[in-house]
Amino acid sequence: MKIPRVYPQILGLIACLLGAVAQASPARPNIIVIMSDDHAYQAISAYGHGLNETPNIDRLAHEGALFTRASVTNSICAPSRAVMLTGKHSFKNGKVDNLQAFNWAQDNFAKQLQRSGYATALIGKIHLNGTPEGFDYSTVLPGQGHYYNPDFIVNGQRQQFAGYVTTLTTEFALEWLQTGRDPDKPFLLLYHQKAPHRAWMPEPKYFPLFADRSFELPDNFFDDYTGRPAAAHHEMGVWRDLDLVYDLKMLDPVEELQTKYRQLFLSHIGRMNADQRAKWDAHYLPLIEAYLADPPLGRELAQWKFDRYMQDYLRCIQSVDDGVGEVLDYLDEEGLSEDTIVIYTSDQGFYLGEHGWFDKRFMYEESFRTPMLVRYPREIKPGQRLDQLVQNLDLAPTLLDYASVEIPPDIQGESFRQVASGDDSAFRDHAYYTYYEYPAEHSVMRHYGIRTDRYKLIHFYHDLDYWELYDLATDPTEMNNLYDSPDHQDIQSALHRKLEAVRQHYGDSDELNAEHLERYLAFRAGRP
Ligand code: SGN
Ligand code: CA
């Protein structure tokens, strides 16, 4: 067929118009959310605590924004992930604790991005039962997963992989980026590491790191919890509750150390192949012999336990940092760095000996706060440190905002896109917190509370009824409960009013807490 001569002109016009449209609305950004598990901000060098070096995570701070006061709404793994996905508080999305089921049928921001044309993948730890919804591709750990030769569920099929969990997770993420995704679509990748979760089993190449290092105990390591009965009730003490075999790796061949978690540790270490086990033993057996030959006592034992804990915890983080470097390198090599939002965060913070603890759950700063670093060269100036009270609750609306997808009205978080771009006009003036998993491991009682720019008000309830008030400007380590102090009556009343208003705004209440408690106790008792 003969093509009329006018066609090329029309085609040219169409191309020109399309070009104009493309210019008016630039391509939507790619998004990578890197989440690790239990990564304390104190253990990221960009946060300035001097414990370790994380050069790759630090790149995000140098080339983007670091949030100094980011927090979670519920400091425990699965609930935190549910909050991130849905943009709703635990009492709205229904996943209030690690134990009860998550409802994947509800909407989440991955589904919203997928519907709007994004290629989506979830790789690594998610800790939410059932098949993930909202992802074209998923490779996830069952539950907590294992460090060595872990199982992954690949698009619904469970299989075991040889290797170390952190490097495998990075490999799977890179594979999807390189060959798995639809290259014609913008992408969303949730790249979620298991590390540095308990029991802190490092990759062999990092055994030598920190081997001779002793760590300074935090000032409040020997906290006596005066004025804080719920804190006193804990079971997460570094010197009292860490398990010699499981946590501190004293798996003695003569089986003298019959600790509570010895069997559990055997199930983890039992997954290793002969080569992995040989490397493990070459490192830990001399430490075990030294310990048995001359077991430290008293304060020396506390320091020894803290050092053992910190050495392995920080080693696990080194492998996480390597993975971040590989992903950032991939973006550079492919010319994608400018157009990709990269977020680094954790499902919550963690205690590194503060108040004498490991673990999380409390609304005190170290576990209430979480790392949050965001790089997006198109919009975010390099090297910013921002102190707004952003929360994991805000990730879903923020990412929808960047992707030009309408934020559903029932989402409870706020977009911090403008904040990240350096707009310091008002953001939310508070952060609201709820914690429910009690009675349970570590014995952290049920509580809720509010943090404002300067103060924190917390209410512990259920088998005690106790309020705490902290002035974070004068008492950043929360040692001095000011509740009922005669000098703080005005601020106490103001915080109570604020807390009530915030609870009403989000739709939380004492009645709802009573319902959650009843459901939880029934669940634990195995009642329907
Ligand atoms: C496990 C750990 C706890 C930890 C929870 C929740 N015990 O149960 O120390 O608090 O996970 O962690 S362990 O003996 O199994 O290691 S979370 O990050 O998944 O919420
Ligand atoms: Ca966690």
Side-chain angles (χ1 to χ4, degrees):
M1 194 182 89
K2 198 165 170 253
I3 299 171
R5 283 190 43 205
V6 60
Y7 269 35
Q9 282 160 21
I10 292 173
L11 286 177
L13 188 68
I14 291 171
C16 192
L17 284 172
L18 284 177
V21 170
Q23 264 193 350
S25 55
R28 297 193 293 166
N30 304 309
I31 299 167
I32 302 183
V33 181
I34 310 173
M35 182 183 274
S36 48
D37 195 340
D38 295 358
H39 191 170
Y41 56 85
Q42 307 92 299
I44 291 178
S45 37
Y47 276 85
H49 292 255
L51 282 174
N52 59 342
E53 293 300 324
T54 49
N56 296 300
I57 300 171
D58 287 9
R59 262 188 73 183
L60 300 175
H62 300 143
E63 297 166 14
L66 175 151
F67 285 90
T68 58
R69 303 197 296 180
S71 63
V72 294
T73 65
N74 185 353
S75 182
I76 184 96
C77 185
S80 168
R81 292 157 201 272
V83 167
M84 180 205 52
L85 283 167
T86 61
K88 294 175 190 162
H89 276 281
S90 306
F91 50 89
K92 285 285 176 200
N93 70 47
K95 181 67 180 164
V96 299
D97 56 55
N98 260 349
L99 311 171
Q100 299 178 77
F102 174 65
N103 172 18
W104 274 107
Q106 68 190 302
D107 215 359
N108 70 46
F109 85 90
K111 291 188 189 180
Q112 288 145 4
L113 289 180
Q114 189 183 41
R115 285 200 295 269
S116 83
Y118 269 71
T120 60
L122 166 61
I123 292 172
K125 182 170 175 184
I126 189 66
H127 203 179
L128 296 170
N129 58 291
T131 308
E133 291 186 28
F135 303 96
D136 308 338
Y137 177 78
S138 69
T139 291
V140 296
L141 293 166
Q144 296 282 10
H146 287 98
Y147 274 104
Y148 280 84
N149 305 333
D151 289 5
F152 280 88
I153 303 170
V154 183
N155 277 341
Q157 296 296 316
R158 185 168 176 151
Q159 54 185 115
Q160 189 174 9
F161 291 83
Y164 184 69
V165 72
T166 308
T167 47
L168 286 168
T169 303
T170 303
E171 256 171 52
F172 299 149
L174 285 170
E175 257 169 41
W176 185 77
L177 287 172
Q178 282 155 353
T179 56
R181 67 189 165 92
D182 178 343
D184 296 329
K185 292 179 170 179
F187 64 80
L188 165 72
L189 168 63
L190 304 190
Y191 159 46
H192 288 190
Q193 293 289 7
K194 166 193 170 62
H197 192 273
R198 192 182 181 191
W200 318 299
M201 294 173 72
E203 185 181 359
K205 76 171 179 184
Y206 286 123
F207 289 151
L209 190 66
F210 307 115
D212 301 319
R213 173 109 172 250
S214 182
F215 293 84
E216 197 182 329
L217 298 175
D219 288 344
N220 58 1
F221 186 81
F222 293 107
D223 193 350
D224 64 3
Y225 315 111
T226 302
R228 289 156 293 146
H233 188 73
H234 76 89
E235 290 175 37
M236 47 197 257
V238 168
W239 57 271
R240 195 186 66 186
D241 299 310
L242 281 177
D243 189 276
L244 258 183
V245 174
Y246 177 66
D247 294 307
L248 305 177
K249 321 293 173 351
M250 296 295 108
L251 182 71
D252 60 320
V254 287
E255 302 182 20
E256 209 174 284
L257 303 172
Q258 287 300 330
T259 63
K260 185 171 165 196
Y261 291 131
R262 188 181 177 105
Q263 284 310 316
L264 177 62
F265 188 59
L266 287 173
S267 74
H268 289 256
I269 210 164
R271 300 181 72 92
M272 290 181 179
N273 62 32
D275 178 52
Q276 292 163 336
R277 184 61 197 266
K279 288 180 177 140
W280 183 274
D281 285 344
H283 176 72
Y284 288 103
L285 280 179
L287 294 178
I288 295 167
E289 278 161 28
Y291 172 82
L292 290 174
D294 186 13
L297 293 169
R299 262 185 123 82
E300 222 185 291
L301 178 62
Q303 178 74 55
W304 178 87
K305 286 187 174 178
F306 184 61
D307 290 342
R308 282 273 52 260
Y309 163 43
M310 290 299 288
Q311 287 163 355
D312 287 338
Y313 178 84
L314 295 174
R315 286 168 181 154
C316 290
I317 288 171
Q318 223 56 44
S319 306
V320 173
D321 189 66
D322 288 345
V324 173
E326 286 179 50
V327 169
L328 295 184
D329 286 349
Y330 166 81
L331 295 177
D332 284 345
E333 284 153 20
E334 297 299 313
L336 291 170
S337 295
E338 283 287 303
D339 293 312
T340 304
I341 297 166
V342 181
I343 296 193
Y344 187 88
T345 190
S346 171
D347 60 344
Q348 9 70 206
F350 213 65
Y351 295 96
L352 304 183
E354 300 87 355
H355 301 285
W357 293 336
F358 64 99
D359 214 67
K360 54 257 178 178
R361 299 161 191 263
F362 280 109
M363 196 195 168
Y364 303 127
E365 286 297 275
E366 292 80 5
S367 54
F368 172 58
R369 279 160 59 181
T370 195
M372 185 75 80
L373 302 100
V374 187
R375 186 186 80 171
Y376 181 32
R378 290 235 182 265
E379 283 194 26
I380 302 177
K381 287 198 296 289
Q384 293 184 86
R385 292 178 79 85
L386 302 170
D387 60 8
Q388 280 85 355
L389 298 177
V390 301
Q391 295 197 277
N392 59 343
L393 183 71
D394 304 319
L395 280 172
T398 302
L399 296 174
L400 292 174
D401 189 1
Y402 277 121
S404 308
V405 173
E406 199 181 327
I407 300 169
D410 59 345
I411 277 198
Q412 299 186 306
E414 278 181 35
S415 167
F416 58 74
R417 179 178 180 179
Q418 300 307 325
V419 170
S421 295
D423 174 356
D424 56 9
S425 57
F427 186 71
R428 194 182 45 224
D429 63 358
H430 66 269
Y432 182 56
Y433 184 84
T434 59
Y435 175 78
Y436 304 88
E437 197 173 302
Y438 179 83
E441 197 179 6
H442 301 305
S443 286
V444 175
M445 291 173 168
R446 289 169 176 252
H447 58 293
Y448 61 91
I450 189 172
R451 193 224 145 107
T452 63
D453 183 47
R454 175 160 175 181
Y455 296 97
K456 195 183 278 179
L457 179 69
I458 312 177
H459 185 206
F460 289 92
Y461 63 95
H462 172 36
D463 55 0
L464 92 173
D465 178 4
Y466 201 80
W467 290 87
E468 298 184 7
L469 191 165
Y470 297 99
D471 179 347
L472 296 162
T474 59
D475 179 26
T477 55
E478 297 158 304
M479 299 294 285
N480 191 12
N481 177 10
L482 296 171
Y483 198 80
D484 278 345
S485 132
D487 295 344
H488 295 82
Q489 287 311 296
D490 288 351
I491 185 65
Q492 187 169 308
S493 306
L495 285 166
H496 270 294
R497 283 195 300 276
K498 179 83 185 166
L499 177 63
E500 271 323 300
V502 164
R503 293 183 88 199
Q504 230 173 39
H505 168 73
Y506 288 129
D508 197 15
S509 64
D510 291 348
E511 293 71 35
L512 215 46
N513 282 343
E515 277 175 36
H516 288 306
L517 176 63
E518 202 178 320
R519 205 172 306 140
Y520 181 79
L521 295 177
F523 174 82
R524 278 176 52 101
R527 295 198 302 269

